[in-house]
Amino acid sequence: MRRFSPLWLLALIPVALLAVYEPYEYITAGSPPLSVRNNPFAAAERLLEQWDHDSRHVLSAGALYPLPSTDTLLVLTRERAGITGERVQALLDWVRSGGHLVVTAARPARTGTRDKAQQWQQRDPLLFALGLTSRETMAPQAGAEGLEAVQSYLNARDMFSALCRNGTNDMRERCIDLFCRRQEPLVDSRLKTSDGTRRLALPGGVALRHTSLGHPEAPAPEDPEPSGLIRRADNDWGAQLAAFQVGDGELTVLSGLELWHNDAVHLLDHAWLLADLVRDAGPVWFIRNMDMPPLGRWLWQQAWPLITGLALVLALFLWRRMPRTGPILASPAARTPDFLEHLSASGRFLWRTDQRDALLQPLRDDIRRRLATHAVARGERYDYLARHAELEPARVERAMSTTPETRDALVEMVSTLQRIRSRL
C-alpha cells in the first residue's frame, strides 16, 4: 500500500487562497493622455462625436481660408490682433450669408491706459467692426478662500484632520470648500431661455460692451456693421455672453471659452450651451490661431528638437574639421635681429660669390700680428707655428695660404687657425 505524501497539501494552498480571498481593484489617479493634455477641448470633442458632429482643429488662418460652407460652426479660441482687414471682411461676409461664428472677446488693456477706438481697432478688428469691446469688472474670482492657518503652516494632511474629521460644522463647511469646490465658480452668468434660466461659469472678470447691452459710451467705429442682439447672459457685473444677428447668420461672443475645457464642460449648463450652439450646425472647427507667426518662430515651435539636433551636429562637424592650433611662432619681421644671423648670412654671401679667402682673412691677419712679436725668421714661420700648435707643418701652411674648395676644408682650416691663435 502506497503511503500518502504531504507534498500534495502544498498544491492545495493556492486553491484555498483563491477560495478565501477575492481580487479587489483600486482606482488611482493618473495623468491624462498627451492628446488630452495638449487639447483643452478634448472632452467637448468627445461630446460632439456622440452628437454626430465632426470636429476639426485648424492651427492657422492659412488653413481656414477659403472659408468652409455656412453649415460649419467656427469657434475662434484665441484673440485676433493680427488678422488683416480682408480676412475680417471675409469672415463678416461669411456670417452675413448664414454662417455661425463663436468668438472670445478681446481682453481690455492694462488698468490706467486710455480706452481709445484706435487701440481696440488694433486689438480686435473683427469685433470692433460691430462696435463690441470689453471692460474689466470687480467680480470675485473662482475658488474658495484659504484659511490663514492653512496658508501659514498646515499641510494638506493636517488641514484635513483639523477641518474635516475633528472640526465643528462650520469648519466642515470650510473643508468642503477647500477640498471639493476649488473649481466651482463663485460668480455665474444667467442665460434666460424658453426652458428656464441656464447657469454658465463664464469669466466674471470681463464684461462685454455694446450699445445694445447698455453701453452707448463704448468705443465704436464711425459706421459699425448692423447687428441685432438675440440673447445675453450676465450677472451683477455685466454681460459675459451676447449673441447677435448679422445678416442671415449669427455671431456669439463670450468672455472666455474656459467653460468648454476638459475640467469644466460637465459643470452647470456648459454642455447644454454647446449642444444648443451646434443644434443646426454640421461640422465644428476649432481655430487655434488666426495670426500666422513668422517662419522662423513657426519652425522653432514645430520642430525645435530637430533644429537643436542639427545645430549640435553642425557644431561637432566644425569642431572636427577645424585645424588645431600649435605653438605660435613669432613673425620673422617682428623679432630682434641677431648678430649671429647677420654673420651667418654674410658668410653664405661670401661663399656664394667665390670670396672664400675673405672668410679666413681675419684669423690669418690676427695670427700674423701675434707672430710679429716673436723673433722668428720668415722661412721658419710655418715650422714655428706647427711646433707651438703641435700640428703638422703642411696643415699649418695649408691653413695660412690656400683657398678652401669645400665646406669641410673650410671647417678644417678655421679649426686649425683657431688652435694656432690660441697657442700664440
Side-chain angles (χ1 to χ4, degrees):
M1 180 176 179
R2 298 181 59 183
R3 300 176 62 183
F4 178 75
S5 176
L7 296 178
W8 289 99
L9 296 176
L10 297 177
L12 297 177
I13 292 178
V15 178
L17 291 176
L18 292 176
V20 175
Y21 298 98
E22 71 176 300
Y24 185 80
E25 295 182 357
Y26 292 91
I27 300 177
T28 59
S31 59
L34 185 62
S35 59
V36 175
R37 282 180 285 173
N38 292 338
N39 181 15
F41 302 101
E45 291 179 359
R46 188 70 60 86
L47 285 176
L48 293 174
E49 292 178 1
Q50 295 179 1
W51 298 336
D52 297 328
H53 291 278
D54 295 332
S55 62
R56 174 181 172 185
H57 282 279
V58 179
L59 301 180
S60 65
L64 176 62
Y65 292 90
L67 294 169
S69 59
T70 55
D71 64 337
T72 304
L73 178 67
L74 299 183
V75 182
L76 306 185
T77 61
R78 296 184 182 179
E79 298 182 5
R80 305 149 296 277
I83 187 173
T84 61
E86 295 179 356
R87 290 182 172 178
V88 168
Q89 193 61 39
L91 275 174
L92 293 177
D93 293 341
W94 181 82
V95 174
R96 278 193 292 264
S97 61
H100 191 178
L101 183 64
V102 178
V103 299
T104 57
R107 299 289 176 174
R110 299 188 304 270
T111 305
T113 59
R114 300 185 62 182
D115 197 9
K116 297 182 179 180
Q118 183 179 3
Q119 295 176 350
W120 280 106
Q121 173 69 29
Q122 297 175 356
R123 191 175 299 123
D124 192 351
L126 177 62
L127 295 184
F128 184 74
L130 281 74
L132 196 146
T133 58
S134 64
R135 62 179 178 85
E136 291 183 347
T137 67
M138 301 301 294
Q141 300 300 316
E145 182 179 347
L147 296 176
E148 295 181 358
V150 175
Q151 296 174 355
S152 61
Y153 62 87
L154 284 181
N155 56 31
R157 183 184 63 184
D158 297 334
M159 179 175 61
F160 183 82
S161 177
L163 299 180
C164 307
R165 296 179 58 183
N166 302 321
T168 62
N169 293 333
D170 182 62
M171 298 180 72
R172 290 194 183 94
E173 289 296 327
R174 279 304 187 101
C175 169
I176 295 174
D177 288 339
L178 289 170
F179 284 97
C180 306
R181 296 175 179 171
R182 291 297 297 174
Q183 301 299 328
E184 291 187 9
L186 299 179
V187 177
D188 56 345
S189 302
R190 305 303 175 100
L191 175 64
K192 296 181 179 179
T193 65
S194 57
D195 299 332
T197 302
R198 301 289 182 173
R199 299 174 58 196
L200 305 172
L202 293 165
V206 177
L208 306 179
R209 293 189 300 178
H210 191 263
T211 55
S212 60
L213 297 175
H215 297 279
E217 76 287 351
E222 297 181 358
D223 188 16
E225 294 287 337
S227 60
L229 182 64
I230 301 176
R231 56 182 178 175
R232 58 185 291 179
D234 50 11
N235 52 33
D236 296 338
W237 287 270
Q240 285 75 42
L241 181 149
F244 297 91
Q245 183 75 32
V246 181
D248 296 333
E250 185 176 343
L251 176 65
T252 302
V253 185
L254 298 88
S255 61
L257 296 181
E258 291 83 354
L259 75 169
W260 291 330
H261 284 183
N262 298 328
D263 56 353
V265 69
H266 62 285
L267 299 176
L268 302 180
D269 295 312
H270 299 169
W272 171 89
L273 178 62
L274 181 62
D276 183 71
L277 292 175
V278 302
R279 180 181 296 112
D280 299 327
V284 179
W285 287 14
F286 291 90
I287 294 89
R288 292 289 187 90
N289 187 13
M290 288 294 293
D291 305 332
M292 187 63 184
L295 180 60
R297 190 195 311 170
W298 182 84
L299 288 175
W300 179 254
Q301 292 175 351
Q302 302 297 326
W304 67 267
L306 178 61
I307 296 175
T308 305
L310 292 177
L312 292 176
V313 170
L314 178 60
L316 179 61
F317 173 77
L318 295 177
W319 178 78
R320 289 180 60 87
R321 299 288 296 181
M322 186 179 300
R324 299 296 184 265
T325 303
I328 300 177
L329 298 178
S331 175
R335 290 187 298 173
T336 304
D338 191 1
F339 173 75
L340 293 178
E341 292 181 359
H342 286 290
L343 187 61
S344 177
S346 300
R348 288 193 296 269
F349 174 75
L350 293 174
W351 182 269
R352 190 171 57 253
T353 56
D354 292 333
Q355 303 181 45
R356 301 171 184 178
D357 289 336
L359 296 173
L360 301 174
Q361 194 64 36
L363 281 173
R364 290 172 177 175
D365 293 342
D366 189 24
I367 292 174
R368 290 189 182 99
R369 284 193 300 271
R370 296 189 181 191
L371 186 59
T373 60
H374 296 259
V376 181
R378 181 177 295 272
E380 299 177 357
R381 290 180 177 179
Y382 294 144
D383 294 336
Y384 181 79
L385 294 176
R387 288 195 305 270
H388 276 72
E390 297 180 355
L391 295 171
E392 297 178 358
R395 181 176 178 181
V396 174
E397 182 179 1
R398 187 170 56 250
M400 291 294 293
S401 60
T402 60
T403 300
E405 299 295 335
T406 62
R407 294 178 181 272
D408 293 338
L410 176 64
V411 171
E412 181 185 359
M413 290 181 181
V414 171
S415 175
T416 301
L417 295 174
Q418 290 283 8
R419 182 170 181 175
I420 295 171
R421 188 178 65 172
S422 64
R423 296 295 178 93
L424 290 177

